[in-house]
Amino acid sequence: MLQEALSAGDCVALQLSQDVERYAELGRTLRSTNFHSAVTVARGSSDHASNYVAYLIMSRMGRLVTSLPMSLITLYKSPLVTRDTLAISISQSGQSPDVVEPIRYFGDGGATTVALVNDAESPLAQAAHWAMPLHAGKEQSVAATKSFITSLVAGARLVAEWQNDDGLKAGLAALPDDLRAASQVDWSAAIEVLAPARNIMVVGRGISFPIALEAALKFKETSALQAEAFSGAEIKHGPMALIEDGYPLLIFATRGPAQASLVALAIEMRGRGARVLLAAPEDVNERDLTLPVAATPDLDPIVAIQAFYVMAAKLSKARGLDPDRPRHLSKVTRTN
């Protein structure tokens, strides 16, 4: 897991060097098509990547995006109206029937379908109108790292080309070096707090919420740590009842409109006795962990999760576990 996470910068550099004209062509197609909405089709880490892509599409393109409950198609056989819809699937393997079948259903119904997939020869790639390879290479660790990061990058490339935004394109070009720098950030303070922990809340808001979801999943997968992700706007409701002295909270306060409220939340939770790990850029004095930044705030979650992955791999070993072989899990999960 650690070595694959550390290779993410090189994988992103490879991806950015490939399929350049194909992404440009996809962007032109998206700009010339009158989409009223979009859906994402994914599970697990890929669904968290989809949440990030959905945020970019909604905030930049003004289209509503829904995460599709795949059982509507695979089990309930619901008569969904799919014309004038963009359907985006993200997957490492492209093998699971409950991802492939909806993409085929949407394509047959007149939607434009895109698969961001690591296996370019997979059933999912063959089912989609546009198969865009992640170029992450084979991933040996069960816990996805480099394939998750390349999924985020592929989604951001799609939006950058759709919007034809030079600033976002330039930020993407700088990501390989940004990721390499992010892998060197020292998060050892988190390991000291979390090595003996039994549970944790992971908090984000807005564009940082998808990485809070991903971090919580990785805590469960690789450290057997009971972790739940919450939006900073929701934690003061039911979850507040769980807070007691020493309860750990990891808060991702990336740059942007939500940052100030997340920093304020960290201060309040410290006052309630929580053991807060506030991850924020170096200009935030209240931080416990330094978040690396990208060329533009919309790309900050990509380098933030890179810093987290390096810490998570080391935390797993500090807790006496093997991050490459989580119990009860396998690399490819097939569900209907």
Side-chain angles (χ1 to χ4, degrees):
M1 176 183 173
L2 179 58
Q3 292 307 311
E4 288 176 349
L6 292 172
S7 74
D10 292 339
C11 294
V12 168
L14 174 60
Q15 185 198 120
L16 293 173
S17 73
Q18 302 296 310
D19 311 307
V20 174
E21 179 51 39
R22 185 159 173 77
Y23 269 97
E25 183 183 356
L26 175 57
R28 291 190 292 269
T29 298
L30 296 178
R31 288 195 298 275
S32 66
T33 306
N34 186 27
F35 299 114
H36 59 79
S37 63
V39 296
T40 60
V41 183
R43 290 207 187 279
S45 289
S46 295
D47 190 42
H48 304 153
S50 296
N51 287 336
Y52 171 74
V53 178
Y55 188 93
L56 291 180
I57 292 173
M58 288 188 281
S59 64
R60 286 174 168 266
M61 307 309 303
R63 306 307 199 277
L64 291 175
V65 185
T66 302
S67 177
L68 179 74
M70 282 93 90
S71 61
L72 286 174
I73 292 172
T74 60
L75 299 179
Y76 291 92
K77 310 300 180 185
S78 304
L80 301 182
V81 177
T82 61
R83 187 168 297 280
D84 299 326
T85 300
L86 172 63
I88 302 172
S89 183
I90 300 180
S91 176
Q92 299 169 53
S93 70
Q95 300 289 335
S96 186
D98 68 346
V99 174
V100 176
E101 187 177 336
I103 287 296
R104 187 174 289 122
Y105 178 93
F106 272 82
D108 290 345
T112 298
T113 57
V114 179
L116 309 178
V117 60
N118 203 29
D119 184 351
E121 305 301 322
S122 64
L124 177 62
Q126 295 169 12
H129 298 141
W130 295 85
M132 313 303 283
L134 300 181
H135 297 290
K138 187 172 180 58
E139 200 165 42
Q140 301 291 339
S141 175
V142 171
T145 53
K146 61 179 183 174
S147 64
F148 179 77
I149 289 173
T150 51
S151 296
L152 299 179
V153 174
R157 286 181 80 183
L158 181 154
V159 175
E161 294 295 343
W162 185 359
Q163 192 178 22
N164 200 20
D165 184 275
D166 289 337
L168 188 55
K169 292 178 185 179
L172 284 162
L175 268 179
D177 286 340
D178 292 340
L179 285 163
R180 294 180 187 114
S183 69
Q184 302 304 311
V185 174
D186 181 12
W187 275 28
S188 57
I191 297 175
E192 293 176 15
V193 172
L194 298 178
R198 298 182 60 186
N199 45 29
I200 186 172
M201 289 186 196
V202 190
V203 183
R205 191 176 183 187
I207 202 165
S208 70
F209 184 54
I211 59 169
L213 290 166
E214 171 65 8
L217 176 62
K218 287 299 183 287
F219 278 136
K220 290 190 281 273
E221 280 184 325
T222 63
S223 283
L225 185 58
Q226 178 59 48
E228 287 190 86
F230 292 101
S231 164
E234 296 293 335
I235 197 169
K236 291 186 181 181
H237 297 283
M240 182 73 82
L242 294 173
I243 300 297
E244 58 186 3
D245 280 350
Y247 195 107
L249 271 74
L250 172 60
I251 300 177
F252 284 98
T254 58
R255 293 179 298 171
Q259 186 185 71
S261 66
L262 289 167
V263 173
L265 176 68
I267 295 169
E268 179 180 348
M269 291 298 103
R270 285 177 183 145
R272 293 177 181 272
R275 182 59 177 92
V276 174
L277 293 166
L278 174 62
E282 61 182 359
D283 63 344
V284 177
N285 293 331
E286 297 87 350
R287 75 188 186 281
D288 302 279
L289 307 169
T290 299
L291 274 184
V293 297
T296 179
D298 276 353
L299 300 177
D300 281 359
I302 301 176
V303 292
I305 201 65
Q306 171 75 315
F308 170 82
Y309 280 153
V310 174
M311 182 278 292
K314 295 176 180 178
L315 174 64
S316 177
K317 292 190 174 182
R319 290 171 63 88
L321 299 170
D322 183 348
D324 298 330
R325 295 172 181 82
R327 59 191 180 194
H328 312 312
L329 298 177
S330 60
K331 189 63 183 169
V332 178
T333 302
R334 300 175 187 266
T335 48
N336 292 306

